[in-house]
Amino acid sequence: MTLDLSGPPRPWPDGLVRRFAVAQARALDRPGCWGTPPPQGDPALLERLAELFSAPPGRTVVTAGVRQFAGAWAGRTRTALVERPGFADIAKVLSGAAAVRALTWEELPGAARGAGEPVTVWVTSPARNPDGRSLDGADRAALSALAAAGHQVVVNQVYRWFAPPEDPPAGCWSVTSLAKLCGGGSRLGWAVLPEGERPPPSLSACGPATAWQRAWAGFLDAPTLAALRAACVEPTLEARRVFTGRLGDLLGWRFAGAGMSLTLHWRGASEERVTALFAEHGLKVGPGSAFDAREGSVRLAFSGVDAHEAAQAAERVARLAAEADGELRPAGGSPARPAHGGS
């Protein structure tokens, strides 16, 4: 049996599906549902976002998601500095209207200070894809200093569902969506502007249809959010814990980061060869190149498996590590001791 570690969305429970259908029907039955949405979003949805996520209504703009936000943002500065590793499509979107450089978090502050003009700095926290890393105190202070110096710092919080709550550093933009909680088809997100900023016209005109915004406003409440977390987030976190714990027992591996994913690196091998070897062991994984990771890297995400399957996946990875003779190990984690196979 192939175990899917490529990160598919978890299905909703039937009760939540029915509840959304009711909310959507009610939204379609309200006057004005086909009217143009207000520039910052439908008032009912903005109120709901404020209630559930403390998103300040005056500084919140509803979007169709992070990728769409990036498209609306592109060109705001002539240069964009994006994190490495990170979701490679963001760099592609921004490159349509800016010169883009991909750098590690440690390299970003120096590159921004040396640019000679304001630049965009794009990072993902908490629990970024693919390695689960989150900003620490020094990272946050460095980003706040860049914002205070006039740079435009965007913190992508799309994985906020898999980590403790985290405010963006002072002076920075934040953007998030429901994609990693509810599935990419939700096509609903929001950006929070720093104090004193005004939304650019390109961002104020990119929210989803009024009917869609109203459907989500009617659907989301505290009990629904708790049910979504229980159905879609907690099993994913548990699967990752089981996987990393089992590999700790089998190989002594320790993993940095948190969240729904992690990265493995096979030194000296091509990405194509590594993904093929994982497939031969019944493991479907994400290519590292999709996240600007080093050659020979793969991303493992745990939204497509349960805890029992995660344990099986760990045993298969242990067998692969034995075949790799020490060349397969966690990216950013501890070195492996000599590998032995699992049962």
Side-chain angles (χ1 to χ4, degrees), residues 234-260:
E234 292 170 12
T236 298
L237 292 175
E238 176 63 14
R240 188 186 189 277
R241 281 193 294 267
V242 168
F243 178 89
T244 58
R246 184 63 176 145
L247 280 178
D249 294 340
L250 292 171
L251 303 179
W253 285 1
R254 295 293 179 265
F255 291 85
M260 68 174 290

Side-chain angles (χ1 to χ4, degrees), residues 313-338:
E315 290 163 5
R316 296 181 191 183
V317 170
R319 290 195 287 272
L320 260 175
E323 296 175 14
D325 194 24
E327 300 299 333
L328 177 66
R329 61 188 63 197
S334 65
R337 68 174 184 241

Side-chain angles (χ1 to χ4, degrees), residues 151-179:
H151 299 289
Q152 299 288 308
V153 183
V154 179
V155 180
N156 174 10
Q157 296 186 321
V158 71
Y159 293 96
R160 61 183 290 164
W161 319 106
F162 298 90
E166 176 184 291
D167 291 329
C172 300
W173 294 67
S174 70
V175 59
T176 190
S177 81
L178 299 176

Side-chain angles (χ1 to χ4, degrees), residues 25-116:
R26 288 176 176 167
L28 291 170
D29 196 42
R30 289 179 55 192
C33 70
W34 298 119
T36 302
Q40 288 189 228
D42 186 79
L45 181 57
L46 290 170
E47 182 178 341
R48 188 66 82 184
L49 296 177
E51 172 193 337
L52 294 176
F53 309 115
S54 301
R59 293 191 287 119
T60 300
V61 179
V62 175
T63 74
V66 173
R67 192 193 307 253
Q68 179 274 332
F69 170 89
W73 182 275
R76 187 171 170 86
T77 60
R78 294 197 300 176
T79 300
L81 308 179
V82 301
E83 63 194 340
R84 170 180 283 169
F87 186 43
D89 274 12
I90 294 299
K92 293 176 184 176
V93 171
L94 294 174
S95 68
V100 176
R101 295 175 60 194
L103 301 165
T104 66
W105 280 2
E106 291 73 20
E107 295 168 327
L108 287 171
R113 289 192 296 267

